[in-house]
Amino acid sequence: LCVTARPEDWAAAEPGHRALSSAALPLDGAPSTHILKPQPWGRLAGLVEAEAWGMEVARHVTETAGSAILDLPDAPPTLAVERFDRVETERGLVRLHQEDCAQALGIEPGRKYAATATPTKSDPTYKGIAELLSRYAADSLEERKRLLRHLFVNTVLGNTDAHAKNYALLHGGDEVCLAPLYDVVPALEITPNVLFMGLRIDGRIRIDRIERENIVAEARSWGLPARVVDEVLGKAAEDVRLGIAVSRSRRPPRRARFGAVEGDGILIFANTWNDFGKTTVGAGERLSCGRKREAGHWAVFGGSGGRRLRAGAGGIARRLQAGALDLVRIPAGARSGVLLGGRLLRDRQLGRG
């Protein structure tokens, strides 16, 4: 629902929330200022709170559209998203020219997702978006670095619904730039059985089969130097970690749905808008937390060089590089928990037991 609200119509509420005294429906082609996204009735439980959490974490990694949960009496939870393609001028509110990346790539809206079976020539791709930025952006290097941050945060937060229409370009004369990130939903928390990503990363479509080298290879295919890719991913990993900590301080935990383990310089990232718990362990101890799922990966951030992280019985221990994102594969039958983008894929034991 698109509405128009004046600055004086808004009031601050608890962290992450805002109160709205009045809003208007734009008529006769008048521009709107916000999009209201109420919780769907009877399905996708927790969607609004999850998106609010995802957007809050993403805001620490890259530029995002402004968003907050509305405090509305007698109404379902509703997320208010500020339009980034509007600007206030002396003539009033004016639209900025923007187009989503499906449109920019010449792809019809119904083809906004990459094919889940065999890739097709008509699939939208990150490389296609990067080529548009290389061709038309004033600073193509910075815009491709921003695209990598967008890809990274959507992948790590489990946003399997990040399709071509969830990326956009802003036009300014003959130049373009990547629009602020929007619709950052930890979809694996809402629809845990959907493992297909909206766009392929280094040719892979299933989120539980995407590892760090795939993200690096994808970014390198855009022409980004290896040093730049490592710098962007290292900084983005730290920013995600900060965003989670800030989000937790702003949103009191209600019930822990996932956890995190930190010890000897190693952080295992756990994504939840409800809670972010940490347990200190020594290197080599069995680690697990959360709910039982199927085999998959841990998303691991940081680590002191040379330390080994044990995955538990049947798992694979892999050396971690300081400040690097690593994904440690856990084979079926492993007894420890595994995560990717906040989704716990296996848990048989908690801690020591």
Side-chain angles (χ1 to χ4, degrees):
L1 176 64
C2 295
V3 301
T4 299
R6 301 166 300 178
E8 57 267 28
D9 296 327
W10 297 95
E14 62 179 289
H17 291 241
R18 298 184 74 185
L20 180 61
S21 60
S22 65
L25 292 176
L27 301 176
D28 300 324
S32 60
T33 60
H34 293 77
I35 300 172
L36 303 186
K37 305 171 70 173
Q39 171 65 42
W41 179 259
R43 61 189 183 91
L44 303 177
L47 177 62
V48 166
E49 292 90 344
E51 182 171 347
W53 181 89
M55 291 291 290
E56 187 169 347
V57 175
R59 201 163 292 130
H60 289 79
V61 182
T62 188
E63 185 182 4
T64 66
S67 62
I69 296 177
L70 283 184
D71 288 335
L72 299 173
D74 303 320
T78 300
L79 188 71
V81 181
E82 186 176 352
R83 300 201 65 133
F84 54 77
D85 54 346
R86 303 289 188 266
V87 62
E88 192 71 43
T89 70
E90 295 179 354
R91 298 182 290 113
L93 191 64
V94 175
R95 292 182 175 89
L96 299 178
H97 182 199
Q98 68 89 22
E99 60 179 340
D100 65 65
C101 286
Q103 182 180 6
L105 291 168
I107 296 171
E108 60 186 51
R111 302 295 299 274
K112 63 185 179 181
Y113 293 99
T116 57
T118 304
T120 68
K121 292 183 178 180
S122 61
D123 280 349
T125 64
Y126 283 111
K127 186 175 182 180
I129 299 172
E131 288 175 347
L132 290 175
L133 295 172
S134 294
R135 186 178 305 172
Y136 298 111
D139 190 337
S140 64
L141 175 61
E142 286 302 317
E143 292 304 316
R144 283 177 289 158
K145 288 165 62 176
R146 183 185 298 185
L147 178 62
L148 179 55
R149 290 194 293 271
H150 287 196
L151 178 157
F152 176 84
V153 74
N154 271 325
T155 304
V156 170
L157 298 188
N159 186 9
T160 51
D161 197 48
H163 50 71
K165 290 180 69 65
N166 280 348
Y167 297 94
L169 304 177
L170 283 172
H171 290 255
D174 295 330
E175 299 174 350
V176 302
C177 65
L178 198 63
L181 192 57
Y182 54 96
D183 287 358
V184 182
V185 181
L188 281 177
E189 169 71 5
I190 308 300
T191 53
N193 295 323
V194 178
L195 297 178
F196 294 116
M197 298 284 287
L199 303 176
R200 293 179 181 273
I201 297 177
D202 188 31
R204 298 193 177 192
I205 193 73
R206 281 181 56 129
I207 193 169
D208 59 340
R209 296 178 182 173
I210 296 171
E211 304 193 28
R212 183 180 188 272
E213 56 259 35
N214 301 118
I215 298 175
V216 171
E218 176 65 38
R220 296 281 285 122
S221 75
W222 310 343
L224 287 177
R227 176 186 57 80
V228 171
V229 173
D230 287 340
E231 289 175 355
V232 171
L233 292 182
K235 178 64 165 59
E238 290 301 317
D239 290 341
V240 166
R241 181 178 179 178
L242 174 62
I244 292 172
V246 171
S247 177
R248 184 181 184 232
S249 68
R250 289 162 57 92
R251 300 173 186 273
R254 285 173 285 180
R255 59 189 180 96
R257 305 176 75 165
F258 299 109
V261 183
E262 187 173 21
D264 295 317
I266 295 171
L267 173 70
I268 294 178
F269 166 70
N271 162 13
T272 171
W273 45 268
N274 275 326
D275 192 19
F276 179 64
K278 292 194 290 186
T279 303
T280 300
V281 298
E285 291 188 36
R286 180 174 294 150
L287 313 176
S288 62
C289 54
R291 299 183 298 182
K292 181 179 177 181
R293 293 291 190 213
E294 61 191 74
H297 300 76
W298 283 104
V300 181
F301 297 102
S304 54
R307 286 288 186 181
R308 280 185 178 272
L309 175 69
R310 272 186 206 284
I316 298 175
R318 181 178 296 181
R319 287 190 181 275
L320 306 177
Q321 295 180 354
L325 164 67
D326 202 1
L327 301 178
V328 181
R329 182 180 298 279
I330 310 296
R335 302 182 65 189
S336 291
V338 287
L339 288 170
L340 176 62
R343 183 181 180 209
L344 182 67
L345 301 175
R346 175 169 291 279
D347 182 285
R348 292 284 180 84
Q349 295 184 349
L350 179 61
R352 291 195 174 98

